[in-house]
Structures are given as C-alpha cells and as structure tokens.
Amino acid sequence: MNSNHNAVRISCAYDGGNIQFRSTRPNELDSTITDVIVVVKQDEYTELEQIAHKQYFSFRSTVNDSTTKCRYILDNASTTSYPEAWKDATVCYTSDLYDPDSWKRVLNTRYENGKLVWDMQHTGTMYFAYFPPFSYQRHLDLIFKCQQKTTVISLGQSLEGREIECVKVGTGERNAWIIHRQHPGETMAEFYAEGLLSRLLNLNGDDLTNDPVVQQVLEMYTFYIVPCMCPDGAVRGHLRTNAAGANLNREWATKHYYEAPTLERSPEVYWVLRHMDETGVDVFLDVHGDEEIPYNFLSGAEQTPAWGPRLQALHGAFGAAYERSNSDMQLEIGYPPPESPEQAAQYMNVATNQVSNRFNCLGMTLEMPFKDCWTNKDPERGWSPARSRQLGASVLEAFIYVHPYLRDDTEFWTQLPLEDRYVEPTDDYRHLEETMPHDQFIQLNRRFYSDVHEIHKKDQAKEE
C-alpha cells in the first residue's frame, strides 16, 4: 500500500514485504521531524493457537525531499506476537534490497510507550526490515545452483502451488534431515541453509580438496535438506504461518480434535513427513530464529518418551562440538526444557519432539537471534545473513563428531569426555548485560517452543 504524502511514500509491494501505511504528521515536539506511522500486517488466523500472528515487517520508504527528517513509528508493536522481544531490538536498513550483506542496524531504535520507533534522515529509497529478507527469487537461484551439483527432489507442493524442494547429497549410511524456515519470517534460517549447502556442494567455487570435512561428512551421511518449508508464507511476508494460517511447527501430529498434518491445511509438513517415513531419520535439525533471546542455541526433545541417557548424551555431544567449531554457538542460554513428561506431551506436534520419538533419533531445534548476538556483539550489523551462513557452514563438524554414536546401543555416554556433557539451558541472561548488576535477573515469560498462545494466556491472567 502506498502513502499519499508527497514527501514520504511507503510500500511493501515486493516479494516478502509486509507493512501497512497509516499516516504522516509533523512531530509534536519538533516540527522539523515528520512522523511516519505504519503497522505490521497480520498472518492468516491460526486455528490451533487461536491467534493471528504478526511481528515480521519489511518495507520500502521513498523520501522525495532531502530536508525531511523521518521518525518511523511501528504503531501496533505492543500487540504483536512477541511484544517483549522489542527490548534491545534494532531495525535493519539498506538501500539495496537484494544485497543481503549491505544491511546495517538503526542504532537509535527504541521501544517506548508500546511503539517501536527509529529515526533516519535519507533521500531516495531506503528499505527497513525486522531481519533482512530472503526472497523467493533468491530461493529459486539457490535451488538452481544445487541442482547443477546434486539431486533436487520436489517432495510436493504448497497450498499455492510452490514446490517443496529437498536437496539430497551424500552417500553415507546415516540419514540426516535438516529443515529450515518453518516460520517464514525467520529469514535467517534460509541464509543458514545457503551457507550449509554452499559448503557441502562447493557452490562458491572453492577447491573441495582443501575441505576434508566435506569429503568425510558426505561419506558418513546422506543429507536431505529442505531450504524453505513455508514458501507461501515467505512470499506473503508472514511471521509464522502458511497461506492457510497453519503454524507448520504445530502440524507434525494430531492434537485433540485438530488433525495434522493434512493436505488441506499443511501439505508442506505432510509431504516432508511422508518422505521421512520412506528414508528413515538418524539425526534431525530444524532451523529457526528467535525474536527475544540474543543468542544462538539448541533445543532438544527433553522429557518426551524417547528422551533418556542416550539422546541426552547425543544432544550434549553435538552442542559441544558445534560450540568448538563456531564461537557464535553456545549452550547455557536457551529455552528451559519442560519440567515434566506431562508438560512435554502437550507439544508432540512440534517437529523436534515428533521426529525424535517417531524415529528414536537425535532431534534438535536450532534458534538464531533477530537481535545482535551477545556471544560476539556487533551492534552495527547485529546477527546478520553472513553470520547465519557461516553458522550453517560450520555445523558439519558436529555431525561428524556424533556419527559413531547415533545408533550405538552400548552405554557410550559413560566414555564421553566431560566437556561433551549435556547442559540444561536457562533463560537467565539479563544479568549478562554490562549495565546490570550481576545478581539481578529479569525472568522472561517461560515458554516452550515459542508458544505464543501460552504467553498471551499468562499475560491475560495477570491483567485479570
């Protein structure tokens, strides 16, 4: 939608765009500033969670007058799916939409009075986003490059007729499934896939003889890699859902009255799970982004029926090896696991839990931040497409490390070194802020698997 103001025009009429223009007005306190009021458009309504998600935005602003100072105001920030996540968030900006490495951060971004606000004076076109977009054209370009090197399978089609592509690579006996971007607004997940595939397939033209890790891992595993699980939602600029409003990471099993997956509502999961049943799964990784926590971390299938010393040891060993291969990975901060089997049983429709138990295998969810990554801070760019790609490329060492143990039926965990032990994550990270006393901890809303519905129920109960 275009604004009608002569000085500033707002548009999201491009692949993955999401914004609704409301108005422009002179700033009440400074007449030299023009307030640009916008709101995030919501996803299709999600029947299971009973909410219309919204948080991801990406839009174009064209300023015709070089003297115009703009104050952008995201007016409905307080009613988004994760309003608590706006603290410490910085908006991304660029003048080149299609160069993912050109994006930087607006350091004056602030969340005040329930609105996300940032200031910028610019002439011509500038793009703003919650995180740099990964366009469908870029996705198709990635698929084209992959099929020049290996087999690309179409597992099925989305509701709007887009292919659900799976890149198959390797000749090993162990089957590794890695899926990305179940939640379309988590664009860092497909940048991760890009980095992973670029290393595995030498898409950048590097000499593979200099990368013995790739040679070794391809002899150990047959990889099935789905770069984008939710192409319809990606094109629409959704945060969490497909064209029918299905949150794909709640579509991996039937829950009460809610049948899933189905061809009518979630064909993306239906076709992937069907192919998994045909190949089997020895290890599974589901790649996401988290709005609130400023760290990379892994989440496992804790407290589910399959969880025990074996899966706990595999999870610990994989995470420790990953941390050794890339300093942007860490183990201490993340989602606190469920407190009981009964609590975990409510989430057997989540991919990691369902796959881990269906195939008795190591299953993990990997989360990357929308914000800056506090492990290695870079305020100017924050967590970025480049670092997402590098995190994807560096996961191979962890796959190699756990390979001997994936189907080991001995008590191998008794022989693993102490540094490979499982670390139970906590969301206590606020005391790590330099401006906060070490013993002060601000408890986050406890949530499992980014369950926004549970968060909003708790907040509502507090208000009552």
Side-chain angles (χ1 to χ4, degrees):
M1 179 180 293
N2 295 320
S3 69
N4 294 318
H5 194 279
N6 288 329
V8 183
R9 294 186 181 275
I10 303 297
S11 171
C12 66
Y14 56 87
D15 178 358
N18 179 322
I19 208 68
Q20 184 174 352
F21 172 75
R22 283 289 175 84
S23 65
T24 57
R25 68 190 181 200
N27 183 268
E28 294 181 353
L29 301 179
D30 187 342
S31 60
T32 68
I33 296 176
T34 297
D35 291 344
V36 182
I37 316 300
V38 294
V39 296
V40 181
K41 294 188 291 187
Q42 65 188 28
D43 297 4
E44 299 298 320
Y45 183 77
T46 303
E47 178 185 346
L48 181 63
E49 295 174 292
Q50 299 178 18
I51 187 173
H53 286 288
K54 60 178 182 287
Q55 188 122 1
Y56 184 79
F57 62 88
S58 176
F59 67 92
R60 173 183 178 177
S61 174
T62 302
V63 177
N64 296 322
D65 184 351
S66 62
T67 64
T68 301
K69 300 176 184 177
C70 292
R71 174 161 296 168
Y72 295 94
I73 301 173
L74 193 64
D75 205 42
N76 63 342
S78 66
T79 63
T80 54
S81 295
Y82 304 104
E84 67 277 6
W86 295 124
K87 177 175 168 40
D88 301 321
T90 47
V91 170
C92 302
Y93 75 96
T94 187
S95 59
D96 186 353
L97 177 63
Y98 295 111
D99 179 2
D101 297 322
S102 68
W103 292 77
K104 295 183 178 180
R105 300 280 179 146
V106 182
L107 299 183
N108 62 46
T109 306
R110 62 265 189 203
Y111 182 54
E112 53 188 23
N113 301 317
K115 306 177 192 306
L116 191 71
V117 182
W118 66 97
D119 301 320
M120 180 169 286
Q121 184 172 2
H122 62 93
T123 305
T125 294
M126 193 69 69
Y127 294 89
F128 298 100
Y130 191 26
F131 196 85
F134 195 108
S135 71
Y136 190 60
Q137 183 60 56
R138 189 178 184 91
H139 167 83
L140 293 177
D141 289 345
L142 176 61
I143 295 301
F144 173 77
K145 293 176 184 177
C146 289
Q147 69 186 15
Q148 307 305 306
K149 301 277 190 173
T150 191
T151 300
V152 177
I153 309 164
S154 174
L155 303 180
Q157 291 187 337
S158 68
L159 287 169
E160 294 185 327
R162 296 181 176 91
E163 305 299 329
I164 308 302
E165 295 103 346
C166 177
V167 181
K168 181 182 178 183
V169 57
T171 58
E173 63 174 344
R174 297 292 176 227
N175 292 318
W177 276 82
I178 309 176
I179 67 172
H180 307 78
R181 209 174 173 185
Q182 285 204 80
H183 297 145
E186 297 165 10
T187 55
M188 62 284 289
E190 195 158 4
F191 285 112
Y192 181 105
E194 191 175 58
L196 168 63
L197 288 165
S198 292
R199 186 179 186 190
L200 279 175
L201 297 173
N202 190 26
L203 298 183
N204 296 327
D206 299 324
D207 186 356
L208 277 180
T209 60
N210 294 325
D211 196 344
V213 170
V214 171
Q215 297 177 6
Q216 186 178 4
V217 80
L218 292 181
E219 292 172 358
M220 290 179 167
Y221 290 96
T222 300
F223 285 96
Y224 297 89
I225 300 171
V226 182
C228 183
M229 285 285 293
C230 194
D232 295 350
V235 171
R236 288 164 167 246
H238 284 184
L239 174 71
R240 287 176 75 81
T241 71
N242 69 1
N247 174 353
L248 297 186
N249 206 25
R250 300 297 182 274
E251 295 284 324
W252 290 78
T254 294
K255 182 174 182 179
H256 306 310
Y257 69 91
Y258 187 88
E259 183 183 357
T262 67
L263 287 173
E264 294 73 26
R265 182 175 50 236
S266 49
E268 302 90 345
V269 174
Y270 177 91
W271 291 117
V272 169
L273 192 55
R274 180 175 174 177
H275 203 78
M276 284 180 169
D277 285 337
E278 294 174 359
T279 66
V281 183
D282 295 303
V283 58
F284 171 70
L285 185 63
D286 181 15
V287 182
H288 287 259
D290 183 84
E291 292 81 0
E292 184 175 5
I293 298 177
Y295 291 92
N296 294 292
F297 60 93
L298 295 169
S299 179
E302 291 94 334
Q303 297 287 1
T304 66
W307 187 262
R310 172 177 160 267
L311 289 190
Q312 179 173 292
L314 286 171
H315 185 105
F318 187 96
Y322 206 168
E323 188 177 40
R324 289 191 290 269
S325 72
N326 190 319
S327 64
D328 279 332
M329 177 53 66
Q330 58 81 51
L331 308 178
E332 290 76 17
I333 305 299
Y335 299 150
E339 296 175 342
S340 67
E342 293 74 23
Q343 206 167 50
Q346 301 176 43
Y347 297 97
M348 292 305 294
N349 58 347
V350 170
T352 287
N353 289 346
Q354 180 58 214
V355 173
S356 293
N357 284 266
R358 194 182 192 102
F359 300 100
N360 190 27
C361 71
L362 172 62
M364 300 160 290
T365 303
L366 183 147
E367 300 280 355
M368 291 175 281
F370 276 83
K371 303 176 181 179
D372 193 6
C373 179
W374 285 15
T375 308
N376 296 294
K377 292 186 177 181
D378 180 6
E380 183 180 10
R381 294 188 184 273
W383 187 249
S384 65
R387 290 171 74 182
S388 301
R389 293 194 298 268
Q390 183 55 40
L391 192 66
S394 62
V395 74
L396 300 184
E397 285 81 355
F399 275 98
I400 289 173
Y401 188 73
V402 299
H403 178 267
Y405 311 111
L406 289 175
R407 294 301 180 188
D408 189 339
D409 57 5
T410 70
E411 294 185 358
F412 65 87
W413 52 89
T414 63
Q415 305 301 317
L416 291 176
L418 184 62
E419 58 263 28
D420 289 345
R421 71 189 184 283
Y422 168 76
V423 177
E424 182 174 313
T426 173
D427 58 5
D428 178 356
Y429 71 87
R430 286 294 181 190
H431 73 272
L432 300 176
E433 290 184 280
E434 296 176 358
T435 58
M436 182 174 288
H438 182 76
D439 60 351
Q440 185 174 351
F441 168 42
I442 300 175
Q443 179 67 44
L444 304 179
N445 284 309
R446 188 179 181 90
R447 56 193 172 102
F448 307 110
Y449 322 108
S450 296
D451 193 340
V452 65
H453 187 50
E454 290 300 316
I455 292 174
H456 284 242
K457 283 202 305 187
K458 290 175 184 177
D459 290 345
Q460 201 170 36
K462 288 178 184 177
E463 293 173 1
E464 294 172 355

